[in-house]
Short mmCIF file of all heavy atoms in Angstrom, two decimals:
data_model
loop_
_atom_site.label_atom_id
_atom_site.label_comp_id
_atom_site.label_asym_id
_atom_site.label_seq_id
_atom_site.Cartn_x
_atom_site.Cartn_y
_atom_site.Cartn_z
N ILE A 10 0.26 -0.89 0.70
CA ILE A 10 1.68 -0.54 0.63
C ILE A 10 2.43 -1.13 1.83
O ILE A 10 1.80 -1.13 2.97
CB ILE A 10 1.90 0.99 0.54
CG1 ILE A 10 1.29 1.51 -0.77
CG2 ILE A 10 3.42 1.31 0.57
CD1 ILE A 10 1.26 3.01 -0.85
N GLY A 16 10.46 4.36 2.45
CA GLY A 16 9.92 5.44 1.55
C GLY A 16 8.53 5.79 1.96
O GLY A 16 8.05 6.96 1.91
N GLU A 17 7.62 4.78 2.41
CA GLU A 17 6.33 5.03 2.83
C GLU A 17 6.32 5.82 4.13
O GLU A 17 5.48 6.68 4.32
CB GLU A 17 5.59 3.69 3.03
CG GLU A 17 4.16 3.85 3.55
CD GLU A 17 3.22 4.55 2.62
OE1 GLU A 17 3.62 5.12 1.60
OE2 GLU A 17 1.99 4.58 2.89
N ARG A 20 6.96 9.34 3.15
CA ARG A 20 5.79 9.94 2.51
C ARG A 20 4.71 10.30 3.54
O ARG A 20 4.10 11.38 3.42
CB ARG A 20 5.31 8.89 1.51
CG ARG A 20 4.08 9.49 0.56
CD ARG A 20 3.61 8.43 -0.31
NE ARG A 20 2.71 7.49 0.35
CZ ARG A 20 1.47 7.62 0.51
NH1 ARG A 20 0.80 8.69 0.03
NH2 ARG A 20 0.70 6.63 1.13
N GLN A 24 2.83 13.66 4.33
CA GLN A 24 1.43 13.75 4.05
C GLN A 24 0.68 14.27 5.34
O GLN A 24 -0.35 14.94 5.23
CB GLN A 24 0.88 12.45 3.70
CG GLN A 24 -0.49 12.43 3.16
CD GLN A 24 -1.03 11.01 2.79
OE1 GLN A 24 -1.49 10.27 3.65
NE2 GLN A 24 -0.88 10.71 1.49
N TYR A 163 -2.84 10.07 -15.30
CA TYR A 163 -3.08 9.97 -13.82
C TYR A 163 -4.50 9.48 -13.57
O TYR A 163 -4.69 8.65 -12.65
CB TYR A 163 -2.86 11.31 -13.13
CG TYR A 163 -2.95 11.15 -11.67
CD1 TYR A 163 -1.85 10.83 -10.92
CD2 TYR A 163 -4.18 11.32 -10.98
CE1 TYR A 163 -1.91 10.66 -9.57
CE2 TYR A 163 -4.20 11.19 -9.60
CZ TYR A 163 -3.14 10.90 -8.86
OH TYR A 163 -3.20 10.70 -7.54
N PHE A 166 -4.45 5.83 -13.99
CA PHE A 166 -3.74 5.24 -12.85
C PHE A 166 -4.72 5.18 -11.64
O PHE A 166 -4.84 4.13 -10.98
CB PHE A 166 -2.51 6.05 -12.54
CG PHE A 166 -1.64 5.41 -11.44
CD1 PHE A 166 -0.65 4.50 -11.80
CD2 PHE A 166 -1.82 5.73 -10.11
CE1 PHE A 166 0.12 3.89 -10.82
CE2 PHE A 166 -1.05 5.22 -9.16
CZ PHE A 166 -0.08 4.30 -9.49
N ILE A 170 -6.27 1.90 -9.37
CA ILE A 170 -6.23 1.79 -7.89
C ILE A 170 -7.64 1.48 -7.42
O ILE A 170 -7.86 0.57 -6.59
CB ILE A 170 -5.74 3.09 -7.29
CG1 ILE A 170 -4.26 3.30 -7.56
CG2 ILE A 170 -5.87 3.06 -5.71
CD1 ILE A 170 -3.68 4.57 -7.04
N VAL A 225 2.17 18.25 -2.89
CA VAL A 225 1.21 17.08 -3.14
C VAL A 225 1.73 16.26 -4.38
O VAL A 225 1.51 15.07 -4.39
CB VAL A 225 -0.20 17.70 -3.46
CG1 VAL A 225 -1.14 16.63 -3.71
CG2 VAL A 225 -0.65 18.54 -2.24
N PHE A 226 2.28 16.96 -5.38
CA PHE A 226 2.84 16.25 -6.51
C PHE A 226 3.88 15.16 -6.04
O PHE A 226 3.89 14.04 -6.41
CB PHE A 226 3.46 17.16 -7.50
CG PHE A 226 4.31 16.57 -8.57
CD1 PHE A 226 3.74 15.79 -9.61
CD2 PHE A 226 5.67 16.64 -8.56
CE1 PHE A 226 4.52 15.21 -10.60
CE2 PHE A 226 6.44 16.02 -9.48
CZ PHE A 226 5.90 15.32 -10.57
N LYS A 227 4.71 15.67 -5.11
CA LYS A 227 5.84 14.76 -4.52
C LYS A 227 5.18 13.64 -3.79
O LYS A 227 5.58 12.48 -3.90
CB LYS A 227 6.69 15.64 -3.62
CG LYS A 227 7.84 14.87 -3.04
CD LYS A 227 8.67 15.84 -2.18
CE LYS A 227 9.81 15.08 -1.47
NZ LYS A 227 10.58 15.97 -0.61
N ASP A 228 4.06 13.89 -3.03
CA ASP A 228 3.41 12.85 -2.30
C ASP A 228 2.85 11.87 -3.15
O ASP A 228 3.05 10.61 -3.01
CB ASP A 228 2.26 13.51 -1.41
CG ASP A 228 1.39 12.44 -0.78
OD1 ASP A 228 1.83 11.74 0.16
OD2 ASP A 228 0.20 12.26 -1.17
N HIS A 229 2.15 12.25 -4.27
CA HIS A 229 1.56 11.27 -5.16
C HIS A 229 2.58 10.57 -6.05
O HIS A 229 2.33 9.43 -6.45
CB HIS A 229 0.54 12.03 -6.05
CG HIS A 229 -0.74 12.33 -5.24
ND1 HIS A 229 -0.91 13.40 -4.41
CD2 HIS A 229 -1.90 11.72 -5.26
CE1 HIS A 229 -2.06 13.36 -3.91
NE2 HIS A 229 -2.75 12.34 -4.38
N LEU A 230 3.70 11.29 -6.45
CA LEU A 230 4.73 10.63 -7.16
C LEU A 230 5.30 9.48 -6.37
O LEU A 230 5.45 8.35 -6.89
CB LEU A 230 5.86 11.62 -7.50
CG LEU A 230 6.97 11.16 -8.38
CD1 LEU A 230 6.46 10.70 -9.73
CD2 LEU A 230 7.99 12.27 -8.46
N ALA A 231 5.52 9.68 -5.08
CA ALA A 231 6.08 8.59 -4.13
C ALA A 231 5.03 7.45 -4.04
O ALA A 231 5.36 6.32 -4.17
CB ALA A 231 6.44 9.16 -2.84
N GLY A 232 3.79 7.88 -3.89
CA GLY A 232 2.71 6.90 -3.71
C GLY A 232 2.55 6.02 -4.96
O GLY A 232 2.28 4.80 -4.80
N MET A 233 2.71 6.57 -6.14
CA MET A 233 2.52 5.82 -7.37
C MET A 233 3.57 4.72 -7.42
O MET A 233 3.30 3.61 -7.92
CB MET A 233 2.59 6.76 -8.58
CG MET A 233 1.33 7.57 -8.81
SD MET A 233 1.25 8.30 -10.47
CE MET A 233 2.57 9.52 -10.36
N GLU A 234 4.77 5.10 -7.07
CA GLU A 234 5.80 4.10 -7.07
C GLU A 234 5.63 3.00 -5.98
O GLU A 234 5.88 1.79 -6.24
CB GLU A 234 7.23 4.75 -6.87
CG GLU A 234 7.64 5.49 -8.11
CD GLU A 234 7.93 4.63 -9.29
OE1 GLU A 234 8.31 3.42 -9.15
OE2 GLU A 234 7.82 5.16 -10.44
N LEU A 235 5.19 3.39 -4.82
CA LEU A 235 5.10 2.47 -3.75
C LEU A 235 3.88 1.51 -3.91
O LEU A 235 3.91 0.34 -3.46
CB LEU A 235 4.89 3.28 -2.44
CG LEU A 235 6.13 3.96 -1.92
CD1 LEU A 235 5.77 5.06 -0.92
CD2 LEU A 235 7.04 3.01 -1.25
N ILE A 236 2.84 1.92 -4.67
CA ILE A 236 1.68 1.07 -4.86
C ILE A 236 1.80 0.15 -6.10
O ILE A 236 0.95 -0.70 -6.29
CB ILE A 236 0.40 1.90 -4.89
CG1 ILE A 236 -0.81 1.06 -4.54
CG2 ILE A 236 0.18 2.55 -6.34
CD1 ILE A 236 -2.11 1.90 -4.33
N ARG A 237 2.93 0.32 -6.84
CA ARG A 237 3.02 -0.50 -8.03
C ARG A 237 2.97 -1.93 -7.75
O ARG A 237 2.25 -2.69 -8.52
CB ARG A 237 4.42 -0.13 -8.73
CG ARG A 237 4.43 1.14 -9.52
CD ARG A 237 5.70 1.46 -10.11
NE ARG A 237 6.11 0.47 -11.22
CZ ARG A 237 7.07 0.73 -12.11
NH1 ARG A 237 7.78 1.81 -12.04
NH2 ARG A 237 7.32 -0.09 -13.03
N PRO A 238 3.70 -2.54 -6.78
CA PRO A 238 3.62 -3.98 -6.55
C PRO A 238 2.26 -4.44 -6.33
O PRO A 238 1.81 -5.61 -6.80
CB PRO A 238 4.51 -4.19 -5.32
CG PRO A 238 5.45 -3.04 -5.30
CD PRO A 238 4.70 -1.82 -5.82
N LEU A 240 -0.63 -3.20 -7.55
CA LEU A 240 -1.42 -3.16 -8.76
C LEU A 240 -1.00 -4.32 -9.65
O LEU A 240 -1.84 -4.92 -10.34
CB LEU A 240 -1.26 -1.89 -9.52
CG LEU A 240 -1.77 -0.58 -8.78
CD1 LEU A 240 -1.47 0.62 -9.58
CD2 LEU A 240 -3.28 -0.75 -8.59
N ILE A 255 3.04 5.52 -15.55
CA ILE A 255 3.47 6.39 -14.51
C ILE A 255 4.40 7.58 -15.11
O ILE A 255 4.23 8.71 -14.76
CB ILE A 255 4.25 5.61 -13.45
CG1 ILE A 255 3.34 4.77 -12.56
CG2 ILE A 255 5.01 6.60 -12.52
CD1 ILE A 255 3.97 3.90 -11.59
#
Side-chain angles (χ1 to χ4, degrees):
I10 297 172
E17 177 65 352
R20 186 183 78 90
Q24 191 183 86
Y163 186 88
F166 188 86
I170 294 175
V225 181
F226 169 73
K227 184 179 176 182
D228 172 72
H229 284 78
L230 184 60
M233 285 195 293
E234 287 295 332
L235 288 162
I236 205 170
R237 281 178 70 164
L240 295 178
I255 290 175

